Amino acid sequence: MSPLEAMRRAIELSRRAHPHPNPRVGAVILDADGRLLAEGFHLHPGEPHAERAALAALDGPPPPGATMVVTLEPCSHHGRTPPCTEAILESRIEKVIVGAVDPDPRNRGVGIDILRSAGVEVVTGVAADEVEAADPAYFHHRRTGRPLVTLKTAMTLDGQTAAVDGTSQWITGEEARADAHRLRAESDAVLVGAATLRADDPALTVRLPGYDGPQPVGVVIAGRQPLPREARLWSRPDTLVLSSRSHDVGVEVIPVPEGDDGLPEPEAALRALADRGLLAVLVEGGATIAAALWRSGLVDRGVTYVGSLVAGGSGRGVMAGEWRTFADARRAEITDIRRVGEDVRLDWRPVRESADHD
Ligand SMILES: NC(=O)c1ccc[n+]([C@@H]2O[C@H](COP(=O)([O-])OP(=O)(O)OC[C@H]3O[C@@H](n4cnc5c(N)ncnc54)[C@H](OP(=O)(O)O)[C@@H]3O)[C@@H](O)[C@H]2O)c1
């Protein structure tokens, strides 16, 4: 195996777990001839990190000339488990190939320095972009303190998300709707506004045949009005409500400071989710919450499904409120276009005007 092939294998391993707030990390150990000896990945917080898991999978100590290939810089600090740099030094592995430098300020470069100072040869930057693409929410969170927010919408070919009376089923076909469930499966949390909860009583779960991975946490951002006493989300014990007021609905209510409009302040609400370890947040509506997040510069990625349907008039748009003048619009980069059944999926991200946001 070449170092690049080994790194790609380690990335594949890293994708098997959902260890947020920790990073997804995979590691493989090769012998001096590049043969695969062992592999490991970090499954859950508190469980061994990928480097330790790979070392534990070896039959005894690593042979002379062995190399560890790991997707992220080994950690150097004591968390729930001891530092991986210690495990590597104890194992006497002589060479470590690192994918991406850890963006976590507690580690950034320190892990690599510790290994180098102890005489370990360290190569960095192998497929770093691919490593980041396998866990973008971790990198984003460590750089900004915020979760990675993906705005998902389904609209008609003429840009409508629902009719005036609120009906919208279904704008897209079965395959696009299944694809949207895969988006949920990649997320730590799925967030909706209080009005969507009242109108649709959504379950916000992944419902795909054969899916047995973790369910994203359902999150409601509540406003000035009371929440309904009965809702499907209240039967899920991990559901979270973000609010500046008190609500007695049987699930945890996270207090969020109020903005001038008397509503929860969007950035504080998102940071509260990241503080709970929810690093990848999928926003599923409605248009009022979508607009509040967009106008606060908090949407990091968009996934827009364009259904093969023409509304033929204006009903409801993707974002509530007026588009007053052209200059208020912002550029987005379309990063992917895919046909999903009879519909189209567009992936995009806003073009950032300053380096303040990642
Ligand atoms: N076609 C689709 O894909 C789709 C997806 C989702 C929803 N929908 C539809 O969209 C409709 C609901 O959308 P919506 O735009 O009316 O409401 P929404 O975005 O679901 O919820 C808005 C509500 O969230 C609360 N809120 C909390 N913090 C806020 C903040 N910082 N800024 C603004 N609001 C905040 C307020 O609750 P209070 O009212 O309590 O003050 C506000 O009225 C429903 O009819 C639903 O069926 C369609």
Side-chain angles (χ1 to χ4, degrees), residues 173-296:
E174 241 170 70
E175 285 177 56
R177 298 203 311 272
D179 191 70
H181 277 257
R182 284 191 283 278
L183 268 185
R184 284 184 180 174
E186 290 164 15
S187 308
D188 299 323
V190 182
L191 180 147
V192 292
T196 294
L197 177 86
R198 287 192 285 265
D200 299 348
D201 189 16
L204 305 181
T205 49
V206 180
R207 296 184 296 279
L208 288 170
Y211 178 76
D212 61 358
Q215 288 292 345
V217 172
V219 181
V220 179
I221 177 155
R224 301 188 195 93
Q225 302 177 58
L227 292 171
R229 293 227 143 257
E230 305 288 327
R232 286 202 282 175
L233 275 178
W234 307 156
S235 65
R236 292 179 58 193
D238 59 352
T239 294
L240 297 172
V241 172
L242 298 163
S243 184
S244 57
R245 296 156 197 234
S246 62
H247 298 274
D248 185 14
V249 288
V251 300
E252 187 181 358
V253 180
I254 303 180
V256 175
E258 233 169 63
D260 295 341
D261 54 5
L263 290 165
E265 209 274 304
E267 177 153 358
L270 291 175
R271 284 184 188 273
L273 295 182
D275 292 347
R276 295 300 172 105
L278 304 172
L279 308 188
V281 175
L282 182 66
V283 177
E284 292 206 2
T288 307
I289 284 301
L293 296 174
W294 176 257
R295 290 186 189 126
S296 307

Side-chain angles (χ1 to χ4, degrees), residues 162-180:
V164 172
D165 67 0
T167 51
S168 64
Q169 290 177 352
W170 296 105
I171 287 173
T172 51
E174 241 170 70
E175 285 177 56
R177 298 203 311 272
D179 191 70

Side-chain angles (χ1 to χ4, degrees), residues 8 37 46 49 52 79 128 168 196 221 228 252 270 280 320 333 345 349:
R8 290 199 168 132
L37 294 177
H49 290 184
R52 281 183 192 274
S168 64
T196 294
I221 177 155
E252 187 181 358
L270 291 175
E333 179 193 359
R345 169 177 163 167
R349 60 171 169 243

Side-chain angles (χ1 to χ4, degrees), residues 1-8 10-11 25-32 34 50-51 65-74 88 93-101 112 115-116 120-128 131:
M1 249 185 192
S2 71
L4 183 60
E5 284 166 341
M7 187 60 74
R8 290 199 168 132
I11 293 171
V25 186
V28 302
I29 299 173
L30 305 176
D31 71 9
E51 298 89 323
T67 297
M68 177 178 285
V69 179
V70 58
T71 56
L72 191 72
E73 172 181 7
I88 292 169
I93 276 206
E94 291 157 26
K95 183 171 176 182
V96 177
I97 299 179
V98 173
V101 172
I112 291 168
L115 294 177
R116 282 193 178 136
V120 177
E121 181 189 348
V122 184
V123 176
T124 60
V126 175
V131 169

